[in-house]
Amino acid sequence: MLKKILIANRGEIALRIIRACRELGIETVAVYSEADEQSLHVQLADGAICIGPGPSGESYLRPERIIAAAEIADVDAIHPGYGFLAEDDDFAEQCEECKIKFIGPRSETIALMGNKARARETVKAAGVPTVPGSAGAVEDPAEAVKIAEQIGFPVIIKAVAGGGGRGMRLAHNAVSFQKEFNAASNEALKAFGDGSVYVEKYIEEPRHIEFQILADEHGNVIHLGERDCSVQRRHQKVIEEAPSPFLTPELREKMGKAAVAAAEACNYWNAGTIEFLVDKHRNFYFIEMNTRIQVEHPVTEEVTGIDLIKQQLRIAAGEKLQFKQDDIKIKAHAIEIRVCAEDPARNFAPSPGEITLYYPPGGHGVRVDSHVYGGYHIPPYYDSMISKVVAYGPNREIALDRAYRALSEYLIRGIKTNISFCRAILRDPVFVEQGATTRFIEDFFKRAPKDLFEKPEEPKES
Ligand code: MV4
């Protein structure tokens, strides 16, 4: 087993990794920015090294500083968490060159799956259904129009170096296509330094359903079922659950096999996620693979009973998977709410500052993964997520009721949060009865009580 690892992250995921290490007897070293001196991950790790000023471009996003800290601390491995450098193939390669184990797949695998057009072609060759579209990137606008016409409008133009919804453009006909194609390419060049784009048939009102996989360095691959992540706002997930209320047992089995085939096609190891879109006829299509542990991994942990971070550590230590596919049973229903320091009345603008009072929920069937506490100052530099409330139980109804109850007892003062907004979603009849498509939040805004996300009227002078 690994003896000592460095955690190249902050916030709740840094704590989550420290906890898994404690249980496995692995020593931990935290890195932190000057804005995170008072953070729990710094206090709870066995050691901590400051790597620079608050802005992440001067600290958590600096490979050379993190590798220097790893060498000083003399660790066996680096856990990147999610975000920051977790899917940076250059960083993974530098770790490999320095003989520090990167807790993730090989750098070449990260690079392959980071190229969204190559990823599509790779899994397609292995028989995994992909969205009808261009074979790889398309350079020439004239050729791209021809491809779009063959596929049939509407089509979506995506950045090869993108992912997660950044740099996507929709086109409804050949005339608008030219404009959108150029816009997508220019945006991609600005955002990623690579203007290549590819084209896909636009799937209307899909569900976003992703499969968790685990793969070891000996070629064993299993899946741990799906998470339904259709409740998103501006490509940010808000609520995730497992199992998906939309999948049948037959479809789950087919998609699970496709997910395993996708991972095998790139000689994958580590925990990973295969993202699919599912249309209203229950056709499914691979869209992307994520080569990291994800924010919403606890949902899978609560329905399978498997600690995914420990699995990552065991895999990185070279162990074989302890489970076969038949050992994996979905034993519960779980739902996660991402609690964010943001103000729904100001278009969900970040709301950093001091938490003056903090009382998190608990009780039967409730797990809270968070790094905040009463008196904690939320720095302005990072993601606004401050906590994940995971509620679980024997079925969806009980899990949803527990989630609602948990949010009702969550007390956070001093900053604004999205808690009331999420409570309203949990009681929305469409969400409760049918589950969500990716259009859910847009439609929900139209029917939800306005006081959830609009500024209250100034009281009138009388
Ligand atoms: C699509 C799509 C429709 N058709 N691709 C957005 C995030 C990125 N991972 C892929 N995304 C989409 N790709 C085709 N061919 C619709 C979306 C999409 C979406 C997907 C998942 C969750 C929320 C979404 C919101 C808008 C668009």
Side-chain angles (χ1 to χ4, degrees), residues 131 156 158 163-166 168 200-204 206-208 229-230 232 235 275 277 287-288 438:
V131 188
I156 189 163
K158 297 182 175 184
R166 293 171 309 163
M168 295 188 335
E200 278 180 356
K201 174 90 184 160
Y202 181 65
I203 310 294
E204 319 239 5
R207 282 169 168 81
H208 172 125
C229 307
S230 301
Q232 305 199 4
H235 302 303
E275 291 187 5
L277 296 180
I287 50 167
E288 285 174 27
T438 52

Side-chain angles (χ1 to χ4, degrees), residues 105-106 108-110 112-114 116 118-130 209-215 219-223 253-276 284-291 325:
R106 264 179 297 242
E108 300 96 84
T109 310
I110 300 175
L112 174 64
M113 289 296 139
K116 302 303 168 184
R118 276 175 68 206
R120 244 172 75 83
E121 293 311 308
T122 305
V123 307
K124 191 178 170 192
V128 177
T130 53
I209 296 176
E210 56 186 32
F211 273 71
Q212 178 68 53
I213 64 125
L214 280 178
N220 304 298
V221 185
I222 59 170
H223 75 83
E253 184 161 338
K254 259 170 81 178
M255 291 178 72
K257 286 193 170 137
V260 168
E264 284 171 346
C266 60
N267 298 314
Y268 197 78
W269 67 58
N270 183 40
T273 303
I274 314 291
E275 291 187 5
F276 295 102
F284 70 93
Y285 311 94
F286 168 94
I287 50 167
E288 285 174 27
M289 176 170 194
N290 301 317
T291 57
Q325 189 63 57

Side-chain angles (χ1 to χ4, degrees), residues 233 340-349 351 416-422 445 450-455:
R233 192 185 150 272
C340 297
E342 60 189 27
D343 185 356
R346 291 175 201 280
N347 197 24
F348 297 86
S351 178
K416 298 276 198 277
T417 75
N418 63 341
I419 289 176
S420 301
F421 180 74
C422 291
F445 276 124
K450 293 284 169 283
D451 60 350
L452 280 177
F453 45 81
E454 280 182 5
K455 260 191 285 193

Side-chain angles (χ1 to χ4, degrees), residues 305-414:
I306 293 171
D307 183 322
L308 289 169
I309 307 292
K310 281 190 189 169
Q311 291 302 316
Q312 285 190 295
L313 294 163
R314 290 189 186 284
I315 290 165
E319 290 185 21
K320 285 191 177 155
L321 284 186
Q322 304 155 294
F323 314 99
K324 299 257 176 284
Q325 189 63 57
D326 283 348
D327 299 329
I328 306 301
K329 295 277 179 299
I330 307 301
K331 304 171 211 172
H333 197 99
I335 182 160
E336 173 179 279
I337 292 91
R338 296 191 188 189
V339 175
C340 297
E342 60 189 27
D343 185 356
R346 291 175 201 280
N347 197 24
F348 297 86
S351 178
E354 185 185 350
I355 298 180
T356 53
L357 179 144
Y358 186 72
Y359 179 82
H364 192 190
V366 174
R367 160 179 174 181
V368 180
D369 280 22
S370 174
H371 61 293
V372 309
Y373 52 86
Y376 177 73
H377 286 256
I378 300 165
Y381 306 110
Y382 316 108
D383 189 278
S384 68
M385 192 182 76
I386 52 169
S387 145
K388 308 187 297 202
V389 175
V390 185
Y392 48 92
N395 60 45
R396 187 170 193 255
E397 192 186 356
I398 294 173
L400 259 52
D401 286 344
R402 279 195 181 137
Y404 187 84
R405 183 273 291 171
L407 292 189
S408 310
E409 70 190 51
Y410 206 162
L411 299 183
I412 303 178
R413 300 282 177 268

Side-chain angles (χ1 to χ4, degrees), residues 73-131:
D74 193 25
V75 298
D76 306 317
I78 297 181
H79 196 308
Y82 53 70
F84 298 126
L85 299 170
E87 287 172 291
D88 185 319
D89 60 293
D90 289 329
F91 176 61
E93 191 180 335
Q94 287 173 48
C95 292
E96 287 161 6
E97 280 165 3
C98 296
K99 306 276 181 252
I100 302 165
K101 184 93 198 178
F102 176 82
I103 302 177
R106 264 179 297 242
S107 58
E108 300 96 84
T109 310
I110 300 175
L112 174 64
M113 289 296 139
N115 180 314
K116 302 303 168 184
R118 276 175 68 206
R120 244 172 75 83
E121 293 311 308
T122 305
V123 307
K124 191 178 170 192
V128 177
T130 53
V131 188

